[in-house]
Amino acid sequence: MTRAVLPQFNREAGAKKQICAMIGDVPFTSARRTTKCCNSERKILEDIFIRPRREPLVVSIAISVAANCLYAYVHLPTSHNKYYMLVARALVGFGAGNVAVVRSYIAGATSLTERTSAMANTSACQATGFILGPVFQTCFSLIGEKGVMWEIIDLQVNMYTAPVLLGALLGVINIILIFAMFREHQVDDMGRPCKSINFEAEESDYVDQDAQGNIDQVAVVATNILFFVILFVFAVFETIATPLTMDMYSWTRKEAVFYNGIILGAIGIESVIVFMVVKVVSKKTGERAILYGGLLIVLVGFFILLPWGKQLPNIQWEDIKNNSIPRIIFNEMFTPFWKLQTTQLPSNHTVEPTGCSVVQSWCLYTPLIHLAQYITSDILIGLGYPACNVMSYTLYSKILGPKPQGVYMGWLTASGSGARILGPVFVSQIYTHLGPRWAFSLICGIIVFSLLLLEAVYKRLTAFSVRYGMMQG
């Protein structure tokens, strides 16, 4: 990211200089010219190189802290609360953009041989948070919806606000750690360190790395698409868990949150194990093979989720109002009524109705997804997703090579963020209106498309230094 701003810097300064791949050496355009930048230019370049990684991290985390605090107080305004909540969630999204800075730093601070291991370690740390998140969510659900009111500061601590308050506290701790412990470090693809602006070792090699070739843009676009698909299908999986289990197993909202929290926590533990394993396996098979295998496993996981058999879910009749009749597909409208398993309307209407809502017409003819199917699918997706995730952006960083990675990592993060936006939209539109059979069939089709794309660009997904003969693959 830091090197991506240098062309603009050069144009504004009117300087005819080219910045090489390593931040330690700043030659003129001609590699044979020995004149160096003056001290003031060196100071500016040091600021450009060193400061932007720390500052975006601090600012983005501060935005997340502020967003979490806003979410905790979203109940206070007398009107337009949903808009305040939307703003709070949007700010959290802005704050989450720092992952691009983190990946860019890792790509610049590791050699090709270290890259996969470092990316896997980072993903393992993320997965640890993924484990603890559902665990804390499960614990906080015990507080209940009413919770405790802290009247001095008008703060209501309940099962919804406790997680964001914890997130705000952790954000403050992160900011302190960045100022106390974060240090800049950068090496080239072969692991040669750059310690200072005056570092001149093997200058011609660094210049040649930039001069010998360009980034394979086809590989870059393909990897962005693959990363989008990977995060999209997992976002769908995360989002669909609660409504699916409530519809299929007649769980209450509280039960769905509790049990799915346990399941997601178990998947997180599985993910950490997968991250540790792929560090070793990738040295023998390569990143591309693991990415392909991970997508196949995810495909099998979603295929298992397709409804089979004749048993129907329990039907929730509570949502019928004003004699409304759900729309039923013509060829399935003659399903015998006695085959429908219905739940009795509770005599006490304060009890939460459970079952598959009859407002969703597909509930009347779509077979039940058995709990064994759901658990098996969870295990497979928890196995395939982490392998795909870490391999996709590890390959991406290697494809970019010594070129500026900040902007490119920003695009990768943006594609992932877009996937996480569209995932819940997909669930709300496809699953709610057409049911799990359509939803999971479309997901399987998307994964098959990604496998075909990966097959088409398989040979192009190679490291920059290997592609141009600087290193042996």
Side-chain angles (χ1 to χ4, degrees):
M1 181 181 69
T2 52
R3 289 171 55 223
V5 302
L6 290 174
Q8 180 65 27
F9 168 78
N10 289 338
R11 286 195 295 270
E12 292 177 356
K16 296 181 179 178
K17 300 183 179 76
Q18 177 184 4
I19 307 303
C20 67
M22 299 302 296
I23 66 173
D25 204 353
V26 190
F28 284 99
T29 303
S30 173
R32 296 186 178 87
R33 298 179 66 176
T34 57
T35 306
K36 301 296 180 180
C37 295
C38 64
N39 292 334
S40 61
E41 288 173 324
R42 288 179 181 176
K43 182 64 173 66
I44 293 173
L45 290 173
E46 283 179 340
D47 289 340
I48 290 175
F49 277 123
I50 296 174
R51 294 179 60 191
R53 284 200 177 103
R54 176 176 293 173
E55 291 175 356
L57 287 174
V58 172
V59 171
S60 60
I61 295 173
I63 291 173
S64 295
V65 171
N68 285 328
C69 292
L70 175 60
Y71 184 91
Y73 282 98
V74 78
H75 65 282
L76 285 183
T78 56
S79 62
H80 305 300
N81 303 75
K82 59 183 179 181
Y83 297 113
Y84 290 109
M85 180 179 289
L86 181 63
V87 171
R89 295 297 88 189
L91 289 175
V92 168
F94 283 118
N98 56 25
V99 68
V101 184
V102 173
R103 289 172 183 161
S104 175
Y105 174 79
I106 294 172
T110 57
S111 65
L112 282 183
T113 56
E114 300 168 332
R115 190 81 44 84
T116 301
S117 178
M119 291 290 188
N121 289 337
T122 304
S123 297
C125 292
Q126 289 179 311
T128 303
F130 183 72
I131 296 168
L132 296 178
V135 172
F136 283 122
Q137 181 184 23
T138 303
C139 295
F140 290 143
S141 67
L142 302 176
I143 300 175
E145 294 188 2
K146 187 175 181 181
V148 179
M149 185 67 183
W150 195 352
E151 295 182 358
I152 299 177
I153 55 176
D154 290 327
L155 178 62
Q156 185 176 7
V157 181
N158 57 25
M159 62 184 293
Y160 303 115
T161 60
V164 296
L165 293 174
L166 177 62
L169 175 62
L170 294 177
V172 172
I173 294 174
N174 278 340
I175 292 174
I176 295 172
L177 290 176
I178 288 173
F179 281 113
M181 303 181 64
F182 182 79
R183 297 292 181 271
E184 284 290 337
H185 175 68
Q186 186 159 351
V187 298
D188 67 355
D189 281 352
M190 286 164 274
R192 294 174 294 192
C194 178
K195 298 180 180 179
S196 70
I197 200 75
N198 296 317
F199 185 75
E200 299 180 6
E202 301 183 62
E203 171 184 322
S204 60
D205 291 342
Y206 301 134
V207 176
D208 289 343
Q209 278 193 328
D210 273 342
Q212 287 183 5
N214 297 317
I215 296 173
D216 187 346
Q217 297 296 335
V218 173
V220 168
V221 173
T223 310
N224 271 277
I225 295 173
L226 291 171
F227 190 69
F228 175 88
V229 170
I230 292 165
L231 265 68
F232 175 78
V233 296
F234 192 74
V236 170
F237 172 73
E238 277 185 309
T239 309
I240 212 170
T242 297
L244 179 68
T245 52
M246 291 175 67
D247 290 334
M248 293 294 158
Y249 314 124
S250 300
W251 290 352
T252 64
R253 191 180 306 277
K254 189 173 182 178
E255 287 173 338
V257 171
F258 181 80
Y259 293 131
N260 281 304
I262 295 174
I263 291 171
L264 290 175
I267 291 175
I269 296 174
E270 182 186 14
S271 298
V272 173
I273 297 172
V274 171
F275 289 135
M276 296 299 102
V277 171
V278 297
K279 291 197 315 183
V280 179
V281 176
S282 64
K283 295 178 181 179
K284 299 179 180 180
T285 64
E287 290 85 0
R288 294 175 296 179
I290 295 178
L291 177 58
Y292 198 93
L295 283 170
L296 282 175
I297 293 173
V298 173
L299 175 61
V300 174
F302 276 99
F303 183 79
I304 288 175
L305 269 180
L306 289 172
W308 305 97
K310 297 181 179 180
Q311 183 181 355
L312 299 175
N314 293 332
I315 306 299
Q316 177 195 143
W317 298 98
E318 183 73 12
D319 289 332
I320 295 184
K321 296 179 181 178
N322 300 326
N323 297 321
S324 60
I325 300 175
R327 183 167 53 87
I328 303 175
I329 297 176
F330 179 79
N331 62 354
E332 294 171 326
M333 67 185 298
F334 297 104
T335 302
F337 180 81
W338 56 85
K339 287 189 177 182
L340 302 179
Q341 296 183 5
T342 62
T343 57
Q344 298 296 325
L345 285 176
S347 56
N348 181 3
H349 290 281
T350 60
V351 178
E352 180 182 350
T354 58
C356 196
S357 174
V358 74
V359 172
Q360 300 173 148
S361 61
W362 55 264
C363 291
L364 299 175
Y365 54 80
T366 301
L368 177 72
I369 298 174
H370 296 280
L371 187 59
Q373 285 179 261
Y374 181 65
I375 298 299
T376 304
S377 175
D378 289 343
I379 294 172
L380 290 175
I381 294 173
L383 178 64
Y385 167 73
C388 293
N389 188 33
V390 67
M391 289 301 107
S392 58
Y393 56 74
T394 299
L395 273 172
Y396 191 70
S397 68
K398 290 185 176 183
I399 290 168
L400 298 177
K403 303 292 184 177
Q405 296 207 3
V407 173
Y408 283 98
M409 285 295 179
W411 283 113
L412 188 71
T413 304
S415 67
S417 299
R420 299 190 72 86
I421 292 171
L422 295 178
V425 174
F426 179 91
V427 172
S428 65
Q429 297 299 316
I430 305 299
Y431 173 79
T432 303
H433 293 94
L434 300 177
R437 180 173 284 161
W438 271 96
F440 298 138
S441 296
L442 288 173
I443 290 295
C444 288
I446 292 172
I447 298 174
V448 169
F449 163 77
S450 68
L451 285 168
L452 294 175
L453 175 63
L454 178 58
E455 185 71 28
V457 299
Y458 195 86
K459 293 183 179 180
R460 305 187 73 142
L461 301 181
T462 56
F464 184 95
S465 299
V466 173
R467 184 167 174 245
Y468 288 104
M470 302 171 195
M471 290 183 64
Q472 302 217 344

